[in-house]
């Protein structure tokens, strides 16, 4: 198997398990805590944050973006080429849909149910810009400051928090957004709400790319400066 094929497989499997967790924990939460929406969101957010830590640790040596916006930013920053980006994004999209189907089946629901929950409005759209930009800053900030080993924890922590501080509950991922359209459950999103969410996520990604260039103009220099600061504070 070629290196690109291995990376695509890792993205497919990782995104599938991520979405299966998002959708599956949402279904479980509504069944276990049917009268408490706040508790349902807490259960959903903790499961999602935890699985992100586990999946990134396990798959980071191969590929662990699980998010087309992350992959596009890697392309814009010159980390990967267009061929690699296209293959990884295709795998992420396919994996996300597979994860949604798996979650439905595990809870004995029809394999595909189109979500009816409308998620629209300026507040939710702004939240997706903020959620996505913040996620990208966490990922690339950790990586460019010499803390790649902390990306998993940083991402898991950020997403758990962003479930609560953003009005959209932080989709921040086009593959996850499309996938959640195929489950008419707690985590679902109606097809008419999908494209505006993705547009806002792309805007968030573009904003984050600019900030990354400004904050970390050279990854090597940023890492050296970070090490110096750490040494001075110990």
């Amino acid at each position: 198997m070629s290196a690109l094929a291995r990376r695509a497989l890792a993205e497919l499997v990782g995104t599938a398990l991520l979405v299966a967790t998002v959708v599956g924990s949402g279904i479980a939460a509504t069944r276990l805590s049917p009268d408490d929406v706040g508790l349902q969101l807490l259960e959903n957010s903790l499961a999602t944050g935890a699985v992100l830590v586990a999946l990134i640790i396990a798959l980071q040596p191969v590929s662990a973006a699980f998010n087309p916006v992350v992959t596009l930013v890697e392309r814009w920053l010159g980390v990967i080429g267009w061929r690699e980006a296209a293959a990884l994004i295709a795998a992420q999209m396919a994996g996300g849909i597979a994860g949604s189907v798996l979650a439905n089946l595990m809870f004995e629901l029809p394999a595909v149910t189109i979500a009816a929950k409308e998620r629209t409005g300026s507040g939710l759209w702004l939240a997706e810009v903020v959620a996505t930009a913040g996620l990208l800053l966490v990922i690339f900030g950790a990586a460019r400051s010499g803390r790649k080993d902390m990306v998993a924890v940083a991402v898991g922590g950020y997403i758990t928090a962003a479930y609560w501080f953003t009005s959209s509950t932080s989709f921040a991922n086009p593959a996850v957004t499309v996938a959640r359209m195929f489950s008419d459950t707690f985590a679902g999103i109606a097809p008419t709400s999908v494209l505006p969410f993705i547009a806002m996520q792309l805007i968030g990604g573009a904003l984050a790319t600019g900030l990354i260039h400004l904050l970390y103009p050279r990854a090597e220099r940023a890492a050296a400066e970070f090490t110096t600061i750490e040494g001075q504070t110990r």
Side-chain angles (χ1 to χ4, degrees):
M1 181 179 287
S2 69
L4 180 56
R6 287 177 61 245
R7 293 174 65 193
L9 179 59
E11 291 293 335
L12 188 150
V13 172
T15 310
L17 290 173
L18 170 59
V19 173
T21 301
V22 173
V23 175
S25 65
I27 297 170
T30 57
R31 293 183 181 181
L32 295 170
S33 311
D35 301 317
D36 192 333
V37 178
L39 184 55
Q40 292 169 9
L41 185 62
L42 177 62
E43 293 160 349
N44 193 208
S45 64
L46 291 176
T48 302
V51 83
L52 276 167
V53 174
L55 290 173
I56 294 172
I57 289 173
L59 295 175
Q60 193 175 35
V62 184
S63 187
F66 316 141
N67 188 331
V69 177
V70 175
T71 300
L72 284 173
V73 172
E74 287 180 326
R75 173 62 196 97
W76 293 335
L77 294 175
V79 178
I80 60 175
W82 281 114
R83 177 172 171 269
E84 290 85 355
L88 298 180
I89 290 171
Q92 291 158 358
M93 299 300 289
I97 295 170
S100 199
V101 170
L102 283 172
N104 289 335
L105 292 174
M106 285 192 292
F107 285 90
E108 298 184 350
L109 297 173
V112 173
T113 55
I114 301 302
K117 186 171 185 177
E118 296 284 346
R119 299 178 187 262
T120 187
S122 58
L124 270 66
W125 296 335
L126 176 60
E128 279 302 291
V129 175
V130 172
T132 308
L135 175 62
L136 272 292
L137 282 176
V138 166
I139 293 171
F140 288 94
R144 290 194 163 207
S145 57
R147 289 293 190 91
K148 285 187 177 181
D149 59 325
M150 296 301 293
V151 169
V153 175
V155 170
Y158 177 82
I159 290 297
T160 302
Y163 258 79
W164 292 90
F165 79 77
T166 65
S167 58
S168 64
T169 66
S170 184
F171 282 49
N173 184 330
V176 170
T177 304
V178 170
R180 288 169 67 165
M181 180 176 67
F182 294 98
S183 184
D184 190 19
T185 57
F186 179 80
I189 179 171
T192 53
S193 301
V194 168
L195 286 180
F197 262 51
I198 292 176
M200 295 304 105
Q201 290 158 5
L202 292 174
I203 291 171
L207 290 173
T209 302
L211 286 172
I212 291 163
H213 276 300
L214 291 172
L215 294 171
Y216 306 97
R218 290 183 58 190
E220 298 82 3
R221 187 176 70 191
E225 290 172 353
F226 182 86
T227 302
T228 300
I229 293 170
E230 281 286 282
Q232 292 171 348
T233 58
R234 288 177 182 170

